[in-house]
Amino acid sequence: VSGISGDSNVTVRSDFWYAGAAMFFHHLGFGVGPDNYGYFYEKYRSLKSVKQFASVISNDAHSAMVQSFATLGIFAIIFFILIAVSVINSLVILMRNDIEKRRTYLVLGLFLLVYFSNSLISPIPLPNKFLFWLVIGYVIVQSMKYRETSYSSISLRALTLGSSVLIMATTTLLTASTIKYFYAQELSNSSTAP
């Protein structure tokens, strides 16, 4: 992008993203673990970054997508994609079936779009993350009242089975990430011990 390519903020962020991409490709399955980006940043930053911005350190990739890829791996990304598809599907169902609240659902959809686009280039404050998950939960739950009438009992069983598998996979992923985190902490403690 002309005009900003020489901007040091853009260069620093691109270094954060490069390090996050390197973390992801070296820890493809489960990432480096939740909240471990900062712990692994020094290991994966480029030599150019070290020379140009030696004093810059980071505990965040400044991109929710890069952060998620780096810290949670491919399985969590698949989970997030499933959530995104579910939210889009839910918004479509709500816009079709609840004409009186269509404007409300449009505003919620725009909020989610702005959140996603902003999260690609900036860290998101914690209250906004809570609001994001609240909106997603609200949209999915509201759409369920229209889904129940349109699904057959076989579809409901498949949805229940799929949800159960998804919950078990997520639990397994989080457990594996937690174990990996504690293992990394143990390695760190043993390498710094005299």
Side-chain angles (χ1 to χ4, degrees):
V1 178
S2 63
I4 64 169
S5 60
D7 185 3
S8 63
N9 287 326
V10 173
T11 305
V12 169
R13 283 184 192 222
S14 66
D15 291 337
F16 294 162
W17 299 341
Y18 173 82
M23 287 178 214
F24 171 70
F25 287 114
H26 285 105
H27 302 275
L28 196 59
F30 297 106
V32 295
D35 290 332
N36 272 345
Y37 178 90
Y39 177 73
F40 284 87
Y41 174 68
E42 288 296 318
K43 179 179 178 181
Y44 287 101
R45 71 189 293 191
S46 69
L47 185 57
K48 177 185 167 199
S49 168
V50 172
K51 288 179 180 177
Q52 192 172 8
F53 303 104
S55 63
V56 173
I57 58 172
S58 179
N59 63 354
D60 190 280
H62 290 253
S63 168
M65 183 174 67
V66 174
Q67 180 87 10
S68 297
F69 271 88
T71 60
L72 303 174
I74 193 73
F75 296 111
I77 300 309
I78 292 169
F79 175 71
F80 286 135
I81 290 170
L82 290 173
I83 288 175
V85 168
S86 178
V87 168
I88 292 168
N89 185 39
S90 297
L91 282 169
V92 168
I93 288 171
L94 289 169
M95 297 284 277
R96 267 194 211 142
N97 293 304
D98 197 348
I99 295 171
E100 295 171 4
K101 293 185 180 177
R102 188 176 281 174
R103 188 173 291 183
T104 301
Y105 298 128
L106 180 63
V107 169
L108 292 176
L110 288 173
F111 164 77
L112 293 173
L113 179 65
V114 168
Y115 180 91
F116 278 129
S117 61
N118 188 40
S119 71
L120 292 176
I121 58 169
S122 299
I124 302 295
L126 197 56
N128 292 3
K129 290 178 183 178
F130 286 126
L131 184 60
F132 168 75
W133 287 107
L134 184 70
V135 169
I136 283 180
Y138 175 78
V139 166
I140 291 173
V141 168
Q142 288 300 310
S143 71
M144 293 306 282
K145 62 184 172 187
Y146 298 107
R147 292 178 189 208
E148 290 179 40
T149 59
S150 62
Y151 288 137
S152 67
S153 62
I154 294 173
S155 296
L156 286 175
R157 286 185 198 143
L159 181 63
T160 303
L161 177 63
S163 298
S164 300
V165 168
L166 190 59
I167 289 169
M168 287 188 291
T170 303
T171 303
T172 303
L173 172 67
L174 291 174
T175 302
S177 294
T178 303
I179 290 169
K180 189 174 184 177
Y181 169 77
F182 285 118
Y183 180 71
Q185 293 298 321
E186 183 64 32
L187 286 178
S188 172
N189 292 338
S190 65
S191 68
T192 58

